């Protein structure tokens, strides 16, 4: 995770403490470098008015959605397999066993049994809707496999020059939510396949980015949040957060065990990211924006003895401490109000 301009709460507190100690020492009359302190801070910064944006950067990976494994529906020898990177759509060959094509159909549920007249279930309706989409009609798509369904199946089988049994099983069809992209081939031509053993690994066709974000910063990336993605060729593509994981897990970095959630990004213009796969990218997130507010550098803050925070305002060679209310931390600055502050006023900061 790379924060960019974002300031997390813990970092802000450390900066406040460091700035407070530095200014307190310099204002106490201690000598540093042989020169006696005059009571003025070593440096000043102006109070600025403008928009403050809470932002962050995260390292992500560009890939495809809906990764899944395709298991063999029958035992035999793989006689044809698709090319890695190719796309398979409804009714097209996904692979072949003993010269018999297994075709892709669309559906959320698996093809786990051989369907025949008299069978009932959601898998029946799933098959019937595919047949109807392909033009093999004459029945009502529902959860009952009738003789009318069987007749449509026979017409479908005849169109592919296979035995017209009127039955369909895992050796004929595999279901997937939509068209698939072949990510890898687990069993090549000439190798043996066993029922339930993986033969292909597929993905969906939609391009996505996956990345992980500290739980403390997950408020920056709710579903629908607009982002930009820096691509490997130096260009930038726009998108939005499409999903946010519900489970937080430690990161891969042994030096950073803070809990993180996994998020995905979809693109506004997917064609902009053609040609990249499993490539490192940078996700730029912009969260809340506070408009027309007064801000100061985070290290200008002082921890006041009575509690709360203040600033050392410098004017005409004199200083005074004023108590302020804090708002949002971002971009190395903090929103402040109160204390009679105005735009352009000078506040003390440690010398850099």
């Amino acid at each position: 995770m790379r924060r960019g301009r974002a300031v997390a709460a813990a970092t802000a507190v450390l900066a406040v403490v460091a700035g407070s100690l530095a200014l307190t020492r310099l204002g106490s009359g201690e000598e540093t470098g042989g020169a006696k302190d005059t009571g003025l801070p070593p440096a000043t910064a102006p109070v600025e008015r403008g928009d403050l944006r809470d932002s962050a950067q995260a390292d992500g990976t560009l890939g495809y959605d809906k990764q899944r494994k395709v298991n063999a529906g029958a035992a035999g020898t793989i006689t044809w397999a698709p090319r890695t990177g190719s796309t398979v759509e409804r009714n097209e060959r996904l692979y072949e066993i003993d010269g018999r094509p297994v075709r892709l159909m669309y559906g959320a549920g698996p093809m786990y049994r051989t369907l025949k007249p008299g069978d009932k279930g959601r898998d029946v309706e799933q098959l019937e809707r595919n047949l109807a989409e392909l033009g093999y009609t004459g029945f009502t798509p529902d959860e009952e496999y009738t003789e009318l369904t069987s007749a449509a199946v026979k017409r479908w089988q005849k169109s592919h020059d296979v035995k017209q049994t009127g039955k369909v099983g895992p050796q004929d069809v595999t279901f997937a939510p939509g068209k698939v992209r072949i990510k890898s081939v687990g069993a090549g031509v000439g190798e043996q396949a066993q029922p339930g053993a993986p033969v292909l690994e597929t993905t969906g066709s939609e391009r996505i980015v996956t990345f992980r974000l500290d739980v403390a910063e997950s408020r920056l990336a709710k579903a629908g949040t607009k982002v930009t993605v820096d691509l490997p060729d130096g260009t930038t593509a726009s998108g939005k957060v499409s999903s946010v994981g519900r489970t937080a897990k430690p990161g891969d970095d042994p030096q950073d065990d803070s809990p993180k959630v996994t998020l995905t990004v979809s693109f506004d213009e997917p064609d902009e990211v053609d040609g990249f796969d499993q490539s490192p990218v940078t996700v730029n997130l912009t969260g809340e924006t506070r408009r027309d507010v007064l801000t100061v550098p985070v290290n200008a803050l002082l921890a006041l003895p009575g509690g709360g925070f203040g600033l050392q305002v410098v004017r005409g060679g004199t200083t005074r401490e004023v108590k302020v209310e804090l708002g949002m931390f971002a971009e190395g600055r903090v929103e402040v109000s109160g204390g009679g502050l105005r735009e352009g006023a000078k506040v003390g900061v440690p010398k850099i």
Side-chain angles (χ1 to χ4, degrees):
M1 173 70 195
R2 298 181 303 183
R3 296 190 181 280
R5 299 178 302 172
V7 179
T11 305
V13 170
L14 291 175
V16 169
V17 173
S20 300
L21 291 176
L23 288 174
T24 300
R25 287 198 303 270
L26 288 166
S28 65
E30 290 185 13
E31 294 186 0
T32 58
K36 189 172 183 178
D37 179 57
T38 63
L40 293 173
T44 62
V47 177
E48 297 180 0
R49 179 178 293 279
D51 297 344
L52 190 64
R53 294 177 175 84
D54 196 1
S55 60
Q57 286 185 324
D59 294 326
T61 302
L62 175 62
Y64 291 85
D65 67 335
K66 300 174 184 175
Q67 183 170 314
R68 63 190 292 268
K69 292 181 179 179
V70 176
N71 297 327
T77 302
I78 300 291
T79 50
W80 181 85
R83 175 177 54 84
T84 299
S86 61
T87 299
V88 180
E89 300 187 11
R90 189 192 335 247
N91 202 35
E92 293 182 343
R93 285 187 306 172
L94 198 53
Y95 62 94
E96 284 186 5
I97 292 182
D98 293 342
R100 183 173 183 170
V102 177
R103 298 187 179 276
L104 178 67
M105 294 292 188
Y106 296 169
M111 188 64 167
Y112 64 95
R113 58 175 175 166
T114 296
L115 298 176
K116 60 188 182 302
D119 287 339
K120 297 181 180 180
R122 286 180 297 176
D123 52 345
V124 173
E125 182 178 5
Q126 197 167 258
L127 174 66
E128 289 183 341
R129 292 194 180 281
N130 278 273
L131 291 171
E133 284 291 331
L134 293 170
Y136 302 100
T137 56
F139 56 88
T140 300
D142 54 21
E143 294 190 355
E144 185 175 359
Y145 199 113
T146 66
E147 291 296 338
L148 294 176
T149 307
S150 179
V153 167
K154 289 178 180 179
R155 295 196 300 273
W156 173 72
Q157 291 171 328
K158 182 179 181 180
S159 71
H160 292 299
D161 294 325
V162 297
K163 188 176 180 180
Q164 299 169 45
T165 63
K167 303 175 183 179
V168 183
Q171 70 278 7
D172 305 301
V173 165
T174 289
F175 285 118
K179 65 180 180 181
V180 299
R181 174 185 172 275
I182 307 302
K183 181 179 180 181
S184 63
V185 177
V189 173
E191 296 184 27
Q192 292 296 304
Q194 296 297 328
V199 290
L200 300 172
E201 189 169 2
T202 68
T203 68
S205 57
E206 182 181 354
R207 307 309 307 275
I208 62 168
V209 170
T210 57
F211 67 101
R212 305 190 73 188
L213 199 63
D214 288 348
V215 170
E217 291 186 323
S218 60
R219 58 187 173 80
L220 293 177
K222 300 183 184 300
T225 299
K226 295 290 186 180
V227 303
T228 59
V229 180
D230 298 335
L231 300 173
D233 63 355
T235 61
T236 299
S238 60
K240 63 182 178 181
V241 175
S242 54
S243 68
V244 180
R246 297 183 179 181
T247 304
K249 298 180 180 180
D252 298 327
D253 185 349
Q255 297 181 350
D256 180 13
D257 59 356
S258 59
K260 294 177 171 58
V261 294
T262 300
L263 304 93
T264 60
V265 167
S266 58
F267 291 96
D268 296 336
E269 298 292 340
D271 292 344
E272 294 180 357
V273 292
D274 279 350
F276 301 108
D277 187 22
Q278 298 302 305
S279 303
V281 296
T282 300
V283 181
N284 305 292
L285 306 108
T286 300
E288 182 183 2
T289 298
R290 301 298 295 271
R291 300 193 180 280
D292 195 33
V293 295
L294 294 176
T295 66
V296 297
V298 172
N299 62 359
L301 294 176
L302 292 168
L304 298 179
F309 296 93
L311 297 169
Q312 188 179 32
V313 179
V314 181
R315 183 179 182 183
T318 62
T319 66
R320 63 186 177 93
E321 288 186 359
V322 298
K323 187 173 183 178
V324 294
E325 297 295 327
L326 307 185
M328 187 172 72
F329 287 80
E331 302 175 315
R333 302 184 68 83
V334 57
E335 176 189 355
V336 291
S337 60
L341 289 178
R342 58 179 176 78
E343 181 182 2
K346 302 293 185 181
V347 295
V349 295
K351 187 174 182 179
I352 299 176

